[in-house]
Amino acid sequence: MRILVTGITGAIGGELVPRLLADGHELRGLSRGDAPTLPAAWSREVAVMTGDAVSGLGLGKALRGVDVAYYLIHSMEPQSGARFESYEQMAARSFARAASRAGVGRIVYLGGLVPPGTPSAHLTSRLTVEQTLLDAIPGSVALRASIVIGARSRSFRFLVRLIERMPVLLIPAWREHRTAPVDERDVVECLARAAGEAAIAGRSLDVAGPDTVTYGALIERIRDLMLLDRPVVSLRQLSLTPIASRVSALIAGEQHALIGPLMEGLASDLLPRTPLATELLGVRQHSLDSAIEHALREWERLEPLQAR
C-alpha cells in the first residue's frame, strides 16, 4: 500500500517506518519544516513532504493517492499562545478534512487509555482527536496505548531521569493506582498490522502490556533494573500534583507544559478493556521486565546513563 506517516522522526514513527518498509509498503513522511535528517538505512526509500496539520498547508499533496495515513501528531505544549487541546483539535480537523478529500481509506491513530470517570485534559483531548478522525474516515482505527516503555518514549525517559537524579524517591498518593505499561515494540507491531486488517475497521482498541502494576511498583521495577539503591518514601495522603509536577519536571529536565498534563492523568487507574489490539492482531507481547531492559539497552547504546 501507499502509506503516509506523520511524526516520522518521533519515538514511534521512527520505529514504525522500517517495520512498514519490511512489509513492502511505499512510504511518505510528513514534516512541518525543512526535510528532517532520516536514518541512512531507509532515507532513500521514504519521500518526505512538507505540510502543516493545523493550517492544512501541503496536506492535499501529501495525502494524494494514499491508502493509509498514520496520525502520530501529539502536542501537550502551548503553540502560539494556545492551549495544547485547541492546537490538537485544529490539527485533527484539518487533517481529517484533507484525508477525506484525498480519498484515504484508513487513518491509524495512536492515543491513550481512557480512565473511568472524567479523563484528564490531555486524555480528553486525545479522545476528541480520535473521534474526529474516525468520523471523517469510517474505516479508520484508533489504538489507545498505556505507558509506552521505549528508549525515546518521553514518559519512560521522564521516570528514568527522576530515578537517576533523586537520592530518595518521594511518590505521592497516586502511587497506588494501576496501569499496564506496554513495550514500544508491541505498539509498533500493532500499528503496522492495523494498516490492512479489515476486521478492526472503525474500532477503538486498547494496547497494553501483560503485567498490571501500580505506578509505585513501576518506578521500583525500573529502579531495580537500573541496579540502583533508591529508598522509596510514600506520601500516601498527598497527591500534590500541581507542586509535584513542577518539581519533577525541573529535576528531570523536562518542560512542565508536558509533565503537568501527564501527571494529571495519574489520578486514577489506567487499565485496558478487552479485547485487546494485541489479541485481535495476533501480536505476542513482551513482559514488563523485558520491555524495561530493552529500552535501557537501546538508551545506553546512544547515550550513557549516569547512574547505571
Side-chain angles (χ1 to χ4, degrees):
M1 294 181 288
R2 182 174 292 143
I3 294 177
L4 176 73
V5 180
T6 66
I8 194 169
T9 59
I12 297 295
E15 298 296 325
L16 179 61
V17 166
R19 174 64 184 79
L20 293 173
L21 287 173
D23 279 348
H25 299 302
E26 177 187 337
L27 297 192
R28 293 177 186 167
L30 184 70
S31 173
R32 278 195 302 173
D34 296 334
T37 302
L38 303 179
W42 43 270
S43 61
R44 292 186 181 87
E45 300 182 71
V46 181
V48 179
M49 309 185 78
T50 300
D52 183 79
V54 176
S55 68
L57 183 67
L59 290 186
K61 181 179 180 181
L63 288 162
R64 189 175 302 137
V66 164
D67 301 302
V68 176
Y70 281 90
Y71 192 83
L72 305 176
I73 299 171
H74 294 144
S75 176
M76 286 189 292
E77 298 158 11
Q79 303 285 336
S80 302
R83 285 179 58 84
F84 71 86
E85 301 101 310
S86 299
Y87 179 82
E88 286 196 328
Q89 289 157 29
M90 286 190 293
R93 288 194 295 267
S94 177
F95 192 88
R97 286 194 298 267
S100 180
R101 290 171 185 155
V104 173
R106 171 171 291 183
I107 297 174
V108 180
Y109 172 62
L110 181 63
L113 291 184
V114 180
T118 303
S120 65
H122 93 270
L123 291 176
T124 299
S125 182
R126 298 289 188 265
L127 282 175
T128 303
V129 169
E130 174 185 307
Q131 197 58 54
T132 298
L133 299 175
L134 291 178
D135 287 346
I137 310 291
S140 296
V141 177
L143 300 182
R144 300 171 175 176
S146 181
I147 294 176
V148 177
I149 305 297
R152 295 176 63 200
S153 163
R154 288 184 77 174
S155 54
F156 177 71
R157 292 179 69 88
F158 168 65
L159 292 177
V160 169
R161 287 304 190 201
L162 286 182
I163 294 166
E164 186 179 46
R165 295 171 180 176
M166 292 178 66
V168 176
L169 302 177
L170 303 174
I171 309 180
W174 46 253
R175 65 161 287 150
E176 301 300 331
H177 296 143
R178 299 169 298 156
T179 192
V182 59
D183 193 309
E184 178 185 75
R185 293 169 291 182
D186 300 341
V187 175
V188 168
E189 187 63 26
C190 284
L191 286 168
R193 297 190 187 194
E197 179 53 63
I200 62 173
R203 298 184 65 175
S204 300
L205 299 168
D206 290 347
V207 186
D211 301 298
T212 297
V213 294
T214 64
Y215 293 114
L218 172 60
I219 290 171
E220 291 172 4
R221 192 83 66 92
I222 297 172
R223 175 203 63 187
D224 293 345
L225 290 170
M226 289 177 70
L227 307 179
L228 295 177
D229 182 16
R230 297 283 192 268
V232 173
V233 175
S234 176
L235 307 175
R236 294 184 181 275
Q237 304 302 317
L238 299 173
S239 62
L240 298 174
T241 298
I243 299 173
S245 62
R246 290 190 178 278
V247 174
S248 298
L250 183 63
I251 293 171
E254 273 284 8
Q255 295 179 350
H256 179 258
L258 169 75
I259 300 306
L262 276 179
M263 291 186 68
E264 287 174 8
L266 305 179
S268 62
D269 289 346
L270 213 56
L271 298 173
R273 306 155 302 161
T274 55
L276 292 171
T278 47
E279 296 171 357
L280 295 176
L281 295 170
V283 176
R284 296 178 61 188
Q285 294 183 276
H286 295 84
S287 69
L288 178 56
D289 283 352
S290 174
I292 296 171
E293 284 281 20
H294 180 265
L296 291 174
R297 283 198 306 272
E298 287 296 297
W299 187 332
E300 289 187 301
R301 189 170 58 85
L302 301 174
E303 174 190 355
L305 279 166
Q306 298 174 7
R308 187 163 153 91

